Amino acid sequence: MVNYTGINVFESGEVMKRILVADDEARIRRLVCDFLKNAGYEPIEAVDGKDAIEKFTLSGKIDLVICDIMMPEADGWEVCQKIRETSSVPVLMLTARSQEFDELRSFESGADDFVTKPFSPVVLVKRVEALLKRSQPSVSASDKKEIITVGSLVINIPAHKITLDGTALELTVKEHNILVKLAGSIGRIFSREQLLDSIWGVDFIGDPRTVDSHVARLRTKLGTWGEKHLKTVYGVGYKIEK
């Protein structure tokens, strides 16, 4: 149903999650949208990269983006990079190619997940559910403090906000969750496998080196603080030192 503000809501009053689906193949785009609708989401269609950027900018709150890589006007990587200039919304990339380069470049562009065509729409919806669930970081027993401070870095877990030298950081969901995980246990080393299980989920299928790409990009965004505090323990994993 739709309330008086025009926002789709369930009978319980819960606002429906809005998902931008960008793909120049109409058949694929409509198939994905139909499955999302059946799962209780509100899909918004974009027919190419330029349309995706405009829809993301003008359609109000978007909770997740599903974006094909090979599109006219602007490819999926360009779309993802443009979104990352202003938002940490989860982005799931689609591609008809299964080359490692495509996957690595997708993560480097700021994507949170990657699916190769042909795919199962049912599995795609499950990946959407998992991304949305993880978009709010879970607080484990080792992350009991609601506010974590390491030097000039402040992590406000309830507000899902991280500031460095008083300035809010624009991080992807994965980058945010990695930082929360590491900062919640200062000095503890987390292996790739532990980070994958905790943040990507135990059912993750892909290259474990995606953790390295995300940590490298996170360290870059953290600047001199990252060089000082976010450490790589070669052959073991990652940790944050005071």
Side-chain angles (χ1 to χ4, degrees):
M1 63 177 293
V2 180
N3 67 6
Y4 66 91
T5 64
I7 299 174
N8 288 335
V9 297
F10 296 107
E11 294 296 337
S12 62
E14 179 185 353
V15 177
M16 294 177 68
K17 297 292 186 182
R18 307 176 77 221
I19 299 177
L20 178 63
V21 180
D23 197 314
D24 60 314
E25 291 187 62
R27 181 182 61 84
I28 296 294
R29 187 175 67 248
R30 289 165 187 163
L31 175 67
V32 171
C33 288
D34 285 344
F35 272 82
L36 290 172
K37 286 179 183 177
N38 291 337
Y41 299 109
E42 179 189 352
I44 298 170
E45 296 186 42
V47 299
D48 56 42
K50 180 181 177 182
D51 190 32
I53 294 170
E54 291 177 351
K55 293 279 176 61
F56 184 83
T57 303
L58 302 175
S59 296
K61 186 177 185 295
I62 300 292
D63 296 287
L64 184 141
V65 177
I66 298 175
C67 187
D68 184 39
I69 290 180
M70 304 310 295
M71 294 188 296
E73 302 297 334
D75 63 37
W77 297 314
E78 294 177 74
V79 173
C80 190
Q81 289 171 336
K82 190 67 177 179
I83 289 172
R84 286 290 170 257
E85 291 177 4
T86 60
S87 174
S88 60
V89 63
V91 177
L92 187 155
M93 304 292 278
L94 301 177
T95 181
R97 305 190 305 180
S98 58
Q99 298 178 12
E100 183 182 79
F101 168 80
D102 290 346
E103 185 171 357
L104 291 176
R105 185 170 176 185
S106 294
F107 289 131
E108 289 169 357
S109 299
D112 297 284
D113 204 353
F114 180 94
V115 173
T116 303
K117 299 176 182 177
F119 56 85
S120 162
V122 175
V123 173
L124 180 67
V125 170
K126 287 298 181 183
R127 285 181 177 266
V128 166
E129 291 175 357
L131 278 175
L132 289 171
K133 187 179 297 183
R134 293 173 194 148
S135 65
Q136 295 297 323
S138 58
V139 183
S140 66
S142 63
D143 302 325
K144 291 179 180 178
K145 294 197 304 183
E146 292 190 337
I147 305 294
I148 300 172
T149 303
V150 185
S152 58
L153 183 81
V154 179
I155 302 175
N156 187 322
I157 293 176
H160 196 251
K161 182 178 181 181
I162 299 178
T163 59
L164 181 61
D165 295 321
T167 301
L169 292 176
E170 284 294 338
L171 304 178
T172 67
V173 174
K174 293 293 192 302
E175 292 165 357
H176 184 287
N177 292 353
I178 288 171
L179 190 53
V180 170
K181 187 70 176 178
L182 296 178
S185 299
I186 298 295
R188 176 181 171 184
I189 301 172
F190 289 88
S191 67
R192 280 177 179 166
E193 291 70 23
Q194 288 172 319
L195 291 174
L196 280 171
D197 288 350
S198 174
I199 295 168
W200 277 260
V202 295
D203 58 345
F204 171 77
I205 299 175
D207 190 340
R209 288 177 297 175
T210 185
V211 174
D212 303 336
S213 299
H214 280 77
V215 171
R217 195 167 62 244
L218 175 59
R219 185 182 284 116
T220 298
K221 291 183 178 180
L222 291 169
T224 55
W225 188 98
E227 295 175 7
K228 180 179 179 181
H229 297 281
L230 179 50
K231 301 295 184 179
T232 300
V233 182
Y234 291 99
V236 185
Y238 301 96
K239 67 176 180 176
I240 285 182
E241 294 180 344
K242 284 192 173 180

